[in-house]
């Protein structure tokens, strides 16, 4: 590389470092250390027991002081021992931080020694890494300023902040996986795609659909079957590791960990859920993933709606990998809507089952912004400002949240605005801030420093 490129490369590296540090500090400071969802708490307990005792069993552990919710920890019995029943990744990802704590503090394996801090900090840092990887992918699609702006929207104005960065959710790993796959595909580094696809599978096994769709599509378009071989070789190795983990904990080779696939896919008596036993119930659940007021992807992140017409206009000119990733995200979300209720449980601000689509769609939507006109730009900026107001509230407080019966007909942020009218001032400030920053840094003709 010639010397004349070095200053710009160094500046790009500094921007990336600042972006990572900014999101990492913010995520760590605002993560959910006290108000922990039962899904996350269960994974935390599983990781802690492995680090503290070397075994996954929670037998003999008094969980009453750990779990103060009305829902029991997710557990199952294998080979005469009770173990936490979660996907492999959310438990495994928390073990190193707990092991470090054990080494530093010599904490014991009793209930009074338990804390949610190590995996929560880990989740915050992994999500900051996701933002950095997404930014790195977007650099290959647009200017540095626009890539940075888009990465900040991804990081601060979506449930990436209020869910993925809040604790060790499966979505923490899947968002990392999609961001890493985008980074690898943008650079034609398919071993990286396989690596991050495998990480995503440790979070949710059906993320294999996304990795496979991305690899197969790009291999077909580019007439390069080696792409599939590279992705499959690394991805299959990591998937085998998830299967080995599942065998250790649960005595079965499925990479789904504590979740047996059959009850979720069943349409008969004894199925895990009732909604997918009729066509009407299934279609309602699929629609709710996108349109329900408190869980809908398009309701919480209307930026997708604003950019959808431009996405259609730019579709044929988009890189193959952005198109493949977008369609894979749609397919994944439809599959998710067929196997699990749209709401994902109570105590969640925003949506969680749509996070994989959001990550998959981001590169294609960023390419679509190249066609944004003056009026659409204003609408887009206002929408992003409102999203920032909404998710800064949820990211910092993780509230207000609504119960099951309100997921269709009410919205947590709107409910907050009704109850605390002063929040309208925060909406106005957020919109004004985004408008100002957009005018300062993204106006037509702005130079790349």
């Amino acid at each position: 590389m010639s010397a004349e490129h070095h200053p710009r490369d160094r500046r790009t590296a500094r921007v990336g470092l600042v972006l990572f540090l900014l999101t990492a500090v913010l995520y760590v400071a605002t993560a959910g250390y006290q108000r922990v969802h039962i899904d996350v708490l269960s994974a935390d307990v599983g990781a802690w027991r492995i680090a503290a005792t070397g075994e996954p069993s929670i037998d003999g552990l008094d969980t009453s002081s750990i779990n103060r919710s009305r829902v029991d920890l997710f557990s199952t019995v294998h080979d005469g021992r009770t173990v936490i029943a979660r996907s492999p990744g959310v438990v495994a990802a928390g073990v190193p931080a707990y092991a470090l704590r054990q080494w530093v503090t010599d904490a014991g394996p009793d209930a009074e020694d338990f804390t949610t801090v190590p995996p929560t900090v880990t989740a915050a840092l992994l999500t900051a890494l996701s933002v950095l990887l997404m930014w790195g992918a977007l650099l290959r699609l647009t200017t540095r300023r626009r890539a940075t702006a888009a990465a900040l929207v991804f990081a601060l104005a979506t449930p990436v902040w209020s869910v993925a960065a809040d604790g060790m959710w499966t979505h923490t790993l899947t968002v990392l996986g999609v961001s890493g796959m985008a980074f690898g595909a943008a650079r034609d580094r398919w071993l990286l795609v396989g690596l991050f696809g495998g990480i995503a599978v440790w979070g949710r096994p059906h993320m294999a659909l996304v990795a496979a769709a991305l690899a197969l599509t790009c291999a077909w378009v580019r007439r390069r079957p080696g792409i599939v071989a590279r992705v499959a070789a690394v991805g299959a190795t990591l998937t085998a590791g998830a299967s080995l983990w599942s065998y250790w904990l649960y005595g079965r080779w499925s990479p789904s960990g504590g979740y047996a696939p059959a009850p979720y896919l069943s349409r008969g008596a004894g199925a895990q859920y009732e909604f997918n036993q009729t066509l009407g119930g299934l279609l309602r659940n699929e629609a709710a993933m996108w349109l329900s007021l408190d869980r809908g992807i398009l309701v919480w992140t209307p930026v997708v709606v604003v950019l959808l017409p431009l996405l259609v206009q730019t579709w044929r000119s988009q890189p193959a990998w952005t198109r493949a990733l977008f369609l894979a995200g749609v397919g994944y979300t439809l599959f998710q809507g067929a196997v699990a209720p749209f709401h994902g449980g109570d105590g969640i601000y925003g949506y969680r089952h749509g996070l994989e689509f959001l990550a998959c769609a981001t590169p294609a939507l960023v390419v679509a912004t190249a066609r944004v006109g003056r009026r659409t730009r204003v609408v887009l900026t206002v929408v992003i400002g409102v999203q920032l107001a909404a998710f800064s509230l949820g990211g910092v407080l993780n509230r207000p949240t609504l119960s099951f019966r309100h997921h269709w007909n009410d919205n947590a942020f709107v409910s907050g605005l009704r109850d605390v009218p002063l929040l309208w001032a925060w909406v106005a400030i957020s919109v004004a801030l985004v408008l100002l920053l957009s005018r300062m840094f993204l106006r037509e003709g702005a130079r790349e420093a």
Side-chain angles (χ1 to χ4, degrees):
M1 180 177 293
S2 61
E4 63 184 5
H5 291 128
H6 290 171
R8 182 171 181 176
D9 291 343
R10 287 196 295 269
R11 182 169 180 81
T12 298
R14 287 197 296 270
V15 172
L17 178 61
V18 170
L19 177 65
F20 175 77
L21 292 176
L22 171 68
T23 53
V25 170
L26 182 63
Y27 287 163
V28 169
T30 60
Y33 300 101
Q34 301 299 325
R35 192 167 181 253
V36 183
H37 196 279
I38 192 64
D39 292 45
V40 175
L41 182 64
S42 297
D44 292 353
V45 170
W48 167 64
R49 289 294 284 181
I50 291 173
T53 68
E55 291 290 334
S57 172
I58 61 172
D59 288 326
L61 177 67
D62 179 13
T63 61
S64 60
S65 61
I66 294 174
N67 179 23
R68 300 182 183 279
S69 71
R70 292 173 295 176
V71 183
D72 293 335
L73 293 174
F74 297 145
S75 63
T76 187
V77 177
H78 166 61
D79 200 21
R81 62 182 183 180
T82 305
V83 296
I84 291 296
R86 292 290 284 146
S87 65
V90 290
V91 177
V95 172
Y98 274 123
L100 178 62
R101 173 178 177 260
Q102 292 292 122
W103 180 69
V104 172
T105 67
D106 197 29
D110 299 321
E112 58 266 24
D113 299 304
F114 175 76
T115 173
T116 62
V117 171
T120 304
V121 171
T122 300
L125 295 178
L126 289 177
T127 307
L129 177 59
S130 300
V131 174
L132 181 63
L133 289 167
M134 183 62 74
W135 174 77
L138 300 180
L139 285 175
R140 297 302 176 98
L141 301 173
T142 186
T143 66
R144 185 174 59 225
R145 287 192 179 192
R146 293 183 183 277
T148 305
L152 287 171
V153 172
F154 179 72
L156 306 179
T158 73
V160 168
W161 186 0
S162 64
V163 176
D166 196 59
M168 193 58 74
W169 287 94
T170 55
H171 313 285
T172 306
L173 298 177
T174 55
V175 170
L176 175 64
V178 173
S179 299
M181 284 189 279
F183 181 88
R187 285 161 173 73
D188 202 28
R189 299 177 65 177
W190 296 99
L191 292 177
L192 277 180
V193 174
L195 171 66
F196 283 100
I199 290 172
V201 167
W202 273 71
R204 301 179 82 82
H206 43 298
M207 283 299 295
L209 298 172
V210 174
L214 178 59
L216 289 168
T217 301
C218 291
W220 175 265
V221 171
R222 300 182 184 184
R223 301 295 189 266
R224 290 172 53 192
I227 289 175
V228 174
R230 288 180 175 86
V231 173
V234 181
T237 300
L238 267 74
T239 301
S243 297
L244 184 62
W245 176 279
S246 297
Y247 184 76
W248 175 43
L249 265 68
Y250 312 110
R252 56 175 178 266
W253 289 101
S254 169
S256 61
Y259 298 103
Y264 292 87
L265 300 174
S266 174
R267 297 291 183 270
Q272 181 75 14
Y273 301 119
E274 295 181 0
F275 76 88
N276 59 8
Q277 296 183 40
T278 65
L279 179 60
L282 179 60
L283 293 177
R284 186 176 187 271
N285 196 68
E286 294 283 8
M289 293 277 286
W290 302 92
L291 300 172
S292 61
L293 293 185
D294 197 51
R295 288 292 185 268
I297 298 169
L298 303 182
V299 174
W300 277 105
T301 43
V303 65
V304 178
V305 179
V306 175
L307 290 175
L308 195 56
L310 301 178
L311 177 65
V312 174
Q313 292 177 25
T314 60
W315 185 255
R316 291 189 177 184
S317 62
Q318 293 245 359
W321 71 267
T322 64
R323 288 181 287 171
L325 202 57
F326 182 90
L327 293 176
V330 173
Y332 171 90
T333 307
L334 292 175
F335 181 86
Q336 182 65 42
V339 299
F342 73 93
H343 48 73
D346 274 353
I348 302 163
Y349 188 92
Y351 56 81
R352 69 182 184 93
H353 286 321
L355 272 170
E356 291 77 19
F357 166 78
L358 178 72
C360 287
T362 294
L365 293 175
V366 168
V367 175
T369 60
R371 293 283 187 92
V372 170
R374 182 174 299 178
R375 291 181 180 178
T376 305
R377 183 179 293 108
V378 173
V379 173
L380 184 63
T381 306
V382 171
V383 165
I384 290 172
V386 174
Q387 288 185 201
L388 176 62
F391 287 105
S392 58
L393 177 66
V396 173
L397 302 177
N398 196 22
R399 63 186 64 202
T401 58
L402 302 180
S403 61
F404 286 111
R405 64 183 182 275
H406 297 301
H407 291 329
W408 255 111
N409 56 17
D410 201 356
N411 177 271
F413 183 54
V414 173
S415 176
L417 292 174
R418 287 197 306 263
D419 295 341
V420 186
L422 188 61
L423 286 175
W424 281 105
W426 177 237
V427 175
I429 292 171
S430 298
V431 171
L433 178 63
V434 173
L435 283 167
L436 177 62
L437 293 176
S438 175
R439 183 173 181 82
M440 290 174 60
F441 296 104
L442 299 178
R443 66 187 185 276
E444 292 296 327
R447 295 177 57 191
E448 282 281 308

